[in-house]
Amino acid sequence: MSEAKERSAGLERGLGLTDATMLVIGSMIGSGIFIVSAESTRLVGSPGWLLAAWALAGLLTITGALSCAELAAMWPRAGGQYVFLREAYGPGTGFLFGWGLFLVIQSGTIAAVAVAFASFLGVLAPAVSPGVHLVPPVHLGSYALTLTVQQAVAVAMILLLTAVNTRGLTAGKRIQNVFTVTKTAALLGLIAAGLVLGWGAGSAALASSWWNPWANGWSPREAQPGLGAAGGAALAMLLGRAMVGPLFAQSAWNNVTFAGGEVRDPGRNLPRALLIGCATVVGLYLLANLAYVVVLPLEAIRDAPGKRVATAMMQSLFGTRGAVAMSLAILVATFGCNNGLILAGARVYYAMARDGLFFRGVGTLNARHVPAAALVAQGAWASLLTLPRTVTPGAAGAPPQFGNVYTQLLEYIISVDLVFYGLMVGAVIVMRRRRPELARPYRTLGYPLTPLLYIALAAVLIVDLAWLTPSTAGMGYLLVATGIPAYLVWRRRFVAAADRPAPVVVT
């Protein structure tokens, strides 16, 4: 879809540099930074390697953003990454990305963040409980459909933010800006508290062996049962797996490209927003993890209750008041994060529908110039993803334990997400060779080393995850592969509609 056609469709360029930067930062900072370090610590067993996992994830984020910025400035259109993949590799690849985004990546993340919001609200309001059922569980083998108070709050959050974003771009960006500034300030406060008040604690992870996890009692066989490697090879493989949480916490930086058709002066503002936003978040995340290491013992990071490392740190420093303050900060973070995800994600399905590769109604705008139908479809599916739950039988008559299906889906899609990111970064090289004459308001710094570094790191990580977690990686590819028959159906309809003769009008 050409930019002229996009403007005629009614999209308005209402996002300035600050708005676009807030969208990058706000979509990235959710619940991940406050939680995932527990699992990463378990996998690598030392503070040095924990920080290395976050630093390597940050390197992927920065090199990816430096490369993506060139494409965003070239094609500042609704759909962003979908458009880049379509132009570089054909409509089939673009569709599979959009299909995976709708099926799991974006909608599953929205569901996960909404339930995280409800979970932390439960810390402050115990009535918001996952154990209080509004509708009795409907068991379906090893799965069940449930509606608890916690799930109802999560659905209400999704529907509220969806409704707000149908009211126009201005409403969505105001929420994004306010909540992004607030949660960034809260994260800075956490960092300052940890680094200023935490130094000198002899029991902190700071006193552990930084680069020899075995000296800390770590064992690769315990971290990954059945692991066939040993020594340094085992540590290297588990370092790759330990990057999954940090990568998830740093994901969604590409969301600003989805709303590229609504950014003013995009050739200048999109690259700047990507680079400023990603550099800010990567720096904050490294400092936050340093604060955890300075304050908490290594085992307290690894075994934090509910994996809530940030809450454990604040409670260690300030007692119950610190834990409550941290819960409030995470509520703000998750609320603002979901607003950005909801705002941006709908633009991809809108662009797909405009290309004839999704439901036709999704490709329309409402009177306020936003893709309301796409927002509603995304909100409905994300809400449904909060309802299915896994069921684990309880021991000796104990009640069953419930998990969340979307958590599995997100684990399945991690490798696939990396593949699509790698293809997007590779598109910079493809288009330099195929279409060197295209105007490039921004050119990737360090080209071709920057995109090649990203592709190399991503490829190593994809292979590592396929080796360590073959079932989850394989399921991710199968989920995206379900888009192949869907693409063929939509493609056939699109071609048939294009070949159909125009109606004759008799005057």
Side-chain angles (χ1 to χ4, degrees), residues 274-356:
L274 278 164
L275 302 183
I276 295 171
C278 289
T280 299
V281 173
V282 168
L284 289 173
Y285 281 5
L286 285 170
L287 289 173
N289 277 276
L290 182 59
Y292 300 155
V293 166
V294 164
V295 174
L296 296 172
L298 195 63
E299 59 272 14
I301 300 174
R302 181 192 63 207
D303 302 324
K307 299 185 178 181
R308 295 189 286 264
V309 181
T311 302
M313 191 201 86
M314 292 295 285
Q315 185 156 6
S316 173
L317 291 174
F318 303 108
T320 302
R321 288 180 301 173
V324 170
M326 199 66 254
S327 294
L328 287 171
I330 295 174
L331 289 177
V332 171
T334 49
F335 194 88
C337 176
N338 246 2
N339 183 73
L341 295 172
I342 289 169
L343 185 157
R347 272 65 179 175
V348 177
Y349 324 129
Y350 164 78
M352 292 170 65
R354 296 283 293 178
D355 286 346

Side-chain angles (χ1 to χ4, degrees), residues 36 64 68 148 150 204 228 281 327-328 354 365 388 404 418 437 462 467 478 503:
V36 300
C68 173
T148 66
Q150 185 184 86
V281 173
S327 294
L328 287 171
R354 296 283 293 178
L365 301 176
N404 289 293
L418 278 171
E437 80 284 359
I462 289 167
W467 180 267
L478 287 176

Side-chain angles (χ1 to χ4, degrees), residues 22-24 26-28 106 110 161 165 172 175-176 180 183 252 255-256 258-259 334-347 378:
M22 292 297 102
L23 184 54
V24 175
S27 297
M28 293 174 74
Q106 197 82 356
I110 290 168
L161 288 174
N165 278 280
I175 288 180
Q176 191 66 23
T180 297
K183 66 184 176 181
N255 275 225
V256 72
F258 301 166
T334 49
F335 194 88
C337 176
N338 246 2
N339 183 73
L341 295 172
I342 289 169
L343 185 157
R347 272 65 179 175
Q378 174 184 254

